[in-house]
Amino acid sequence: MKLKEIYNLSIQMGIDADPRGRAAVEKGLQNVRAKYEKMDEKEKEYFDRETLINPYSDTRLHFGDPELEIKKIFAGIDIDGDELLLAKHLGDIDACVAHHPRGIALAKLHDVMPLQADVLNQYGVPINVAEALLHTRISEVGRGLSASNHYRALDIARLLQMPYMCTHTVTDSLVFQFLKQRVEGERFGTVGEVLDALLEIPEYRESKKRGMGPEIFSGKRENRAGRVALTEITGGTDGAHDIYEKLAQAGVGTVIAMHQSEKHVKFAEKAHVNVVIAGHMSSDSVGMNLFLDTIEEKGVEIVPCGGLLRVVRTRAF
Ligand SMILES: [Fe+2]
Ligand SMILES: [Fe+2]
């Protein structure tokens, strides 16, 4: 595969797995284009043209000739200087594909967060409430990201001449759909049963052996699960901490999340919403694996690194 084909495939798979659906995502791209065409030259200078074709700010081909033929990649949850140097040292790695964003993809991470409002809406939270609570949180995340040194890994990739891309929300949406399919087909009696169902997935089993298995952060094993919602799997990062009361009112009993801050746990407990933490690296690995399986089928060899728990499966949705 060419480098650009791997990148484009990640975007298309991300759109197909997007909780909003392909039609809504494409409408969003049209709106961006309409806005761009009305801009004057000064505004266009700062406009990120990639957003005309890629709806995910945190997914990006940062560096490398798009026409380059790729036979073997380093694939990791995080790829920084160490992994890049190792990739170069091994001599036969053609490109690095990370999950977590770097560079502009991290600086603009919060631009993907609006999709969380649609997920919350699908679980019964009125869209106006979801958008309002999220709006405050998106501003907070944007300010929080602004002080970091986002380009260090990319500087190393450039100096090593190592092609580098990151595929964040696109693969988080893949794990979202993967888990959704499993959860929606089941009737869980207790929160413990939700946790046990996760342990049927190899990445979570392996992660438990490594000391990072699924855990209950709010509620108890024997609590009745109620309706199970996957509201904290895709959409950039943690959403609004004050959403749990609204989720409870909407009929949600248990939330499955990748990870959660202490503040979020406290608010979930206060709203009597059970929280099952699936696990961070393990969940990110499931999403990456679903993408990597597809490019491996197309003849690209995968070398897992940077925290990726590589499991090969036939795509299940
Ligand atoms: Fe992720
Ligand atoms: Fe992550």
Side-chain angles (χ1 to χ4, degrees):
M1 289 180 89
K2 288 184 175 169
L3 188 60
K4 69 175 182 191
E5 289 172 335
I6 297 176
Y7 176 57
N8 290 337
L9 179 68
S10 78
I11 296 169
Q12 292 311 314
M13 285 178 74
I15 295 175
D16 285 331
D18 194 300
R20 296 167 293 189
R22 177 170 275 275
V25 176
E26 284 177 348
K27 180 85 183 98
L29 284 173
Q30 282 168 18
N31 292 343
V32 173
R33 184 164 290 276
K35 241 188 205 170
Y36 173 69
E37 279 163 6
K38 284 193 194 122
M39 286 178 182
D40 59 30
E41 285 314 306
K42 222 171 184 176
E43 286 172 303
K44 281 184 179 171
E45 186 189 344
Y46 297 105
F47 181 79
D48 178 10
R49 283 180 182 75
E50 196 62 24
T51 59
L52 294 169
I53 51 149
N54 173 0
Y56 308 106
S57 58
D58 58 358
T59 296
R60 182 69 62 128
L61 173 56
H62 291 294
F63 177 77
D65 176 2
E67 299 296 328
L68 191 72
E69 201 56 50
I70 306 296
K71 293 190 189 68
K72 195 171 184 177
I73 61 165
F74 246 29
I77 304 302
D78 290 284
I79 295 187
D80 286 305
D82 311 22
E83 287 84 8
L84 285 161
L85 280 167
L86 178 59
K88 195 71 185 175
H89 173 76
L90 292 175
D92 61 348
I93 303 293
D94 301 313
C96 288
V97 179
H99 175 62
H100 286 147
R102 297 290 184 267
I104 193 170
L106 183 53
K108 293 283 178 193
L109 169 72
H110 50 295
D111 284 356
V112 299
M113 291 177 70
L115 85 73
Q116 292 185 32
D118 290 76
V119 177
L120 292 163
N121 185 232
Q122 286 165 19
Y123 286 110
V125 178
I127 192 67
N128 52 313
V129 173
E131 277 190 339
L133 294 181
L134 204 54
H135 185 74
T136 309
R137 174 66 181 147
I138 290 172
S139 312
E140 187 181 281
V141 171
R143 288 192 298 276
L145 288 166
S146 67
S148 301
N149 188 355
H150 297 303
Y151 277 78
R152 291 182 67 195
L154 304 189
D155 284 342
I156 295 171
R158 180 176 45 81
L159 289 165
L160 292 172
Q161 293 288 298
M162 176 57 71
Y164 186 102
M165 76 173 79
C166 51
T167 52
H168 192 226
T169 284
V170 293
T171 60
D172 282 341
S173 292
L174 291 175
V175 60
F176 169 80
Q177 295 294 353
F178 179 85
L179 292 175
K180 193 167 177 240
Q181 201 193 49
R182 271 150 186 78
V183 165
E184 286 189 348
E186 288 280 335
R187 286 201 170 273
F188 297 104
T190 63
V191 177
E193 287 174 26
V194 176
L195 189 116
D196 293 343
L198 289 174
L199 286 170
E200 285 169 25
I201 298 165
E203 287 88 338
Y204 296 122
R205 272 208 303 276
E206 177 58 28
S207 208
K208 188 172 165 71
K209 288 175 196 163
R210 295 183 178 196
M212 306 178 292
E215 276 187 68
I216 297 164
F217 272 23
S218 168
K220 292 193 261 309
R221 252 197 96 84
E222 55 273 20
N223 284 3
R224 302 268 293 275
R227 187 173 184 206
V228 180
L230 293 148
T231 46
E232 297 178 44
I233 301 292
T234 189
T237 187
D238 297 344
H241 62 268
D242 39 9
I243 199 66
Y244 302 103
E245 191 193 323
K246 311 296 173 194
L247 280 166
Q249 285 162 0
V252 169
T254 300
V255 161
I256 299 181
M258 273 203 199
H259 47 80
Q260 215 173 49
S261 75
E262 273 306 295
K263 189 175 176 184
H264 286 73
V265 176
K266 294 281 171 290
F267 275 79
E269 280 173 342
K270 205 168 156 226
H272 312 294
V273 170
N274 303 300
V275 175
V276 175
I277 298 296
H280 187 187
M281 297 312 130
S282 44
S283 300
D284 280 343
S285 291
V286 176
M288 283 294 278
N289 284 332
L290 292 164
F291 168 57
L292 294 168
D293 288 347
T294 309
I295 63 172
E296 197 174 54
E297 275 168 25
K298 293 176 187 288
V300 177
E301 192 181 335
I302 315 291
V303 180
C305 69
L308 174 72
L309 300 165
R310 179 80 180 119
V311 172
V312 180
R313 57 166 66 78
T314 317
R315 287 190 67 212
F317 64 92

